[in-house]
Amino acid sequence: MTERLSDVVARIRSVRQLSSVIGAMRGIAAARAREARERLEGVRAYAATVGSAIGQALGLVDDGGPPVGPRDGRGGHLVIALCAEQGFAGVFNRRVLDVAERVLKRDGARRSELLLLGARGLIAADERGLLVGWSRPMVAHVDEVGALADRVTEQLYRRLGSGQATRVNIVHATPSLGEIEVVDRALAPFDFARFPPARTMRQPIISLPPQVLLAELAQEYVFAELCEALTLSLAAENEARMRAMSAAKTNVAKMLDELIARSRQLRQEEITNEIIELGGRRTRGATDEKGADSRPP
């Protein structure tokens, strides 16, 4: 079937509309990535404050040391994977799940449980045959980070408290200039050795036994770590989407150039055909007129 100029012109309009949509999506992703990066300083300041409180509380412990969770290895291993909620993020989910799958295989499937955030990641995990013990949508905006971190913390400590799990790792992407970078961080057992005990002349006033206070501060610090991981993952997801949209925009621009060139070619062909047809009509008209003159009266 011969390609028509009107069809090519219609395709040009569609491609231009697609280019506008891609540009808008890239702009939204850039804004959300920037907002997430800007919130990181506040999240880390909060974690530093809780860490300082842990150091002061450690200085109050004289007997038995800080609370220690079970270390006999009989409990399970939780792996929290932070994936994308929305599409057009390139290989983001694949990279996160590659690392999460390696972490899961350290102890075998029977001893591990995957907790996953992100609807797109859930689809990718199902395609890999990974069993997901608990899942929730990933945040789309940085203002939603605190509420989601609270839900994850609740699930995490529910399993730790029941002895269902003794170790927890979180796998998430972090913003980077080039390829997607994925990190694996241990959340439990909680490492109190990271916080040097504070020795001050004036002891802080507390209303809880030091051991109980430390346990609650440790949970609060894990909450802060989850907030940081969610914020980093959100920034990385949107930066991956920005790169995907930039590549798509380049491809669309190339397609548009090709369509415009094709439309010019078809327009030239139409003009040429019209000229030929007009020339043919004129020739036939002249021939008919000459024939009429040569007939006898």
Side-chain angles (χ1 to χ4, degrees):
M1 185 173 64
T2 304
E3 190 176 22
R4 295 184 302 177
L5 177 60
S6 59
D7 295 333
V8 176
V9 171
R11 287 182 63 193
I12 289 174
R13 285 197 297 266
S14 298
V15 171
R16 281 176 172 159
Q17 291 173 355
L18 177 60
S19 179
S20 298
V21 171
I22 290 172
M25 291 178 64
R26 187 182 185 281
I28 293 171
R32 290 181 174 176
R34 183 177 63 254
E35 289 174 353
R37 282 179 174 272
E38 290 172 351
R39 293 290 180 91
L40 276 173
E41 184 178 352
V43 172
R44 287 167 175 165
Y46 173 70
T49 300
V50 178
S52 176
I54 290 174
Q56 293 184 48
L58 286 171
L60 302 174
V61 177
D62 295 325
D63 54 339
V68 178
R71 296 179 181 271
D72 55 11
R74 288 179 293 185
H77 183 193
L78 292 182
V79 178
I80 305 169
L82 307 187
C83 296
E85 178 64 21
Q86 300 171 345
F88 304 106
V91 297
F92 183 88
N93 293 311
R94 189 176 73 191
R95 295 287 173 80
V96 172
L97 289 176
D98 284 345
V99 177
E101 198 167 5
R102 288 199 298 268
V103 177
L104 284 167
K105 290 179 179 178
R106 290 175 188 170
D107 298 318
R110 292 183 180 181
R111 302 175 60 83
S112 302
E113 182 183 10
L114 178 62
L115 279 62
L116 189 145
L117 302 180
R120 295 288 177 169
L122 189 61
I123 295 172
D126 183 64
E127 292 173 351
R128 290 172 176 242
L130 296 175
L131 296 178
V132 178
W134 181 84
S135 67
R136 283 294 183 276
M138 178 60 179
V139 296
H141 194 275
V142 70
D143 289 338
E144 303 166 352
V145 163
L148 182 56
D150 192 52
R151 295 191 190 99
V152 177
T153 303
E154 180 184 352
Q155 291 295 323
L156 187 158
Y157 275 92
R158 180 180 298 174
R159 286 163 171 77
L160 290 174
S162 65
Q164 183 179 347
T166 56
R167 293 184 298 130
V168 181
N169 283 67
I170 185 167
V171 176
H172 65 89
T174 62
S176 61
L177 296 177
E179 293 294 323
I180 297 170
E181 182 180 347
V182 180
V183 298
D184 164 29
R185 298 166 56 186
L187 296 181
F190 193 81
D191 184 14
F192 285 95
R194 292 178 290 171
F195 312 96
R199 302 295 180 182
T200 60
M201 297 296 295
R202 297 180 59 183
Q203 296 293 340
I205 299 173
I206 61 174
S207 58
L208 294 172
Q211 293 282 356
V212 177
L213 178 60
L214 277 171
E216 294 193 3
L217 285 172
Q219 183 169 339
E220 194 68 19
Y221 193 85
V222 169
F223 169 79
E225 288 184 300
L226 285 169
C227 286
E228 181 185 19
L230 288 167
T231 304
L232 287 168
S233 180
L234 181 62
E237 175 190 341
N238 280 285
E239 289 185 3
R241 187 168 293 113
M242 285 169 56
R243 289 191 289 269
M245 291 301 98
S246 294
K249 189 130 181 119
T250 300
N251 292 334
V252 167
K254 181 179 179 181
M255 182 188 302
L256 187 59
D257 289 342
E258 292 174 352
L259 287 171
I260 290 174
R262 180 58 180 157
S263 71
R264 289 170 178 167
Q265 180 183 359
L266 289 172
R267 186 175 289 109
Q268 183 63 46
E269 289 177 359
E270 284 189 358
I271 293 171
T272 302
N273 290 335
E274 288 178 1
I275 293 173
I276 293 173
E277 185 177 350
L278 288 172
R281 287 178 182 176
R282 185 173 181 179
T283 302
R284 288 195 300 272
T287 302
D288 294 342
E289 195 173 310
K290 183 178 181 181
D293 293 339
S294 62
R295 286 197 297 268

